[in-house]
Amino acid sequence: MFSAALTPLDAELAPDHACFIAHCRYLLDEGCDAIAMLGTTGEANSFSVAERTALLEAVVVGGVKPNQLLPGTGVAAFTETVVLTRHALSVGVETVVMLPPFYYKNVSDDGVYAAYSEIIQRIGDPRLKIVLYHIPQMSMQPISHALIERLRKAFPATIVGIKDSSGDFANMTAMVERFPGFAVLTGADPLLLPLLRKGGAGCITATSNLVARDLAYVFKHFRDSDDDANLAAAQARIVKARELVSRFAQMPSLKALMAERTGHAGWQRLRPPLETLPAAQMKELLASAAASAKAA
């Protein structure tokens, strides 16, 4: 169970290393197996290569084990993806989450395959493990089953899984059935339990920043009966949290709730073009969160 970690920002809108390291430790203490940093939720594509490498180095120096990290390394220029991925390997991180090149639209599977193939061959490191990233609503570049099959055939030791953030449960279960041994991870928190029961591998999710303990409980107890009151309660809290942060724009909502929980102003900030919630929405979000906490 992996957290798609938010990135706190300092007053200059740069990643706040100390705050992020503390957040990583918190998430691990709450039961996360690893931190999927610098993904969509972490605003990765708003940061430069230098900012991304510096943050990863700081986290490792700060005591988070490399095998507890899954950084996002896929960017539009495949040469920079190579740089980011080589850097991850250089600090001991062997598994990365990799978007396909995403700027040009209506690219064929052949083009996407060529990009991944070029990246893997240029890196040329047998340690490398890649979790593909399917988020077509953001990247506009879907990862088809035919492409997965081709990549797995060419690079069986490297292409080890996929994060599916499409929300399409049928697509996830179809991949589980078609690709035995391939780790299918959902990006939607409420789908963790049903996907695990279909043979999926787990999740990389945004709401884990708030409800990691509940997600960890579901991951550990998903084989239990639906009569298990604790499992049902954990799943209900996950669904409620996801609904809460999806009422308005998700990332500023998550950051607002993190700022409220921690009292740290850095969680309130987003890097442009993303914006904080309007005052009325912020007030409604925090009131709803307080009411939910009181009811629990």
Side-chain angles (χ1 to χ4, degrees):
M1 194 279 288
F2 309 127
S3 175
L6 293 159
T7 306
L9 303 179
D10 64 21
E12 299 300 316
L13 301 182
D16 184 327
H17 292 185
C19 184
F20 185 73
I21 292 166
H23 186 50
C24 289
R25 290 175 179 154
Y26 165 78
L27 291 170
L28 293 169
D29 287 345
E30 287 289 285
C32 291
D33 295 293
I35 311 301
M37 59 183 289
L38 292 169
T40 304
T41 304
E43 301 174 68
N45 282 295
S46 293
F47 300 131
S48 68
V49 168
E51 288 173 315
R52 292 165 76 139
T53 56
L55 183 60
L56 179 57
E57 286 178 14
V59 173
V60 173
V61 171
V64 180
K65 297 176 182 177
N67 65 2
Q68 294 176 315
L69 296 168
L70 283 81
T73 62
V75 296
F78 81 80
T79 48
E80 291 191 340
T81 298
V82 170
V83 169
L84 287 165
T85 307
R86 281 179 176 158
H87 175 263
L89 288 163
S90 77
V91 298
V93 175
E94 298 183 358
T95 305
V96 301
V97 180
M98 193 179 289
L99 279 166
F102 50 80
Y103 178 77
Y104 293 104
K105 306 303 183 278
N106 302 313
V107 175
S108 70
D109 276 4
D110 286 345
V112 180
Y113 175 86
Y116 276 121
S117 177
E118 197 72 37
I119 291 162
I120 294 166
Q121 291 185 74
R122 289 194 183 204
I123 293 169
D125 193 321
R127 295 176 298 162
L128 177 61
K129 304 288 186 293
I130 294 173
V131 174
L132 304 171
Y133 192 4
H134 176 66
I135 182 168
Q137 67 272 32
M138 296 291 283
S139 69
M140 301 298 167
Q141 183 55 63
I143 297 176
S144 72
H145 294 194
L147 176 59
I148 295 168
E149 187 168 53
R150 187 176 174 188
L151 285 168
R152 290 188 77 220
K153 184 176 181 180
F155 309 104
T158 303
I159 304 297
V160 299
I162 189 166
K163 177 187 178 183
D164 187 340
S165 291
S166 68
D168 184 347
F169 188 65
N171 187 62
M172 299 175 208
T173 56
M175 288 189 291
V176 170
E177 293 169 3
R178 181 168 176 175
F179 305 118
F182 185 63
V184 178
L185 302 151
T186 181
D189 309 82
L191 295 181
L192 172 61
L193 179 57
L195 184 62
L196 287 170
R197 288 179 167 171
K198 290 288 188 179
C203 68
I204 303 176
T205 59
T207 316
S208 59
N209 287 275
L210 304 174
V211 291
R213 186 169 296 186
D214 287 321
L215 285 158
Y217 187 91
V218 168
F219 184 74
K220 291 174 184 176
H221 296 274
F222 73 91
R223 293 184 181 87
D224 296 354
S225 165
D226 283 329
D227 293 333
D228 182 328
N230 289 328
L231 182 61
Q235 179 70 1
R237 287 191 293 270
I238 290 165
V239 172
K240 182 176 286 189
R242 183 74 177 203
E243 290 173 348
L244 178 66
V245 302
S246 299
R247 186 176 304 175
F248 306 119
Q250 188 180 90
M251 278 180 279
S253 295
L254 284 164
K255 283 199 154 181
L257 292 170
M258 281 295 300
E260 182 73 6
R261 183 184 71 79
T262 63
H264 193 293
W267 286 116
Q268 194 69 266
R269 304 183 184 108
L270 292 96
R271 179 169 281 196
L274 299 181
E275 300 176 288
T276 57
L277 293 177
Q281 291 183 4
M282 181 79 74
K283 182 178 179 180
E284 183 179 338
L285 175 72
L286 296 180
S288 295
S292 293
K294 187 176 181 179

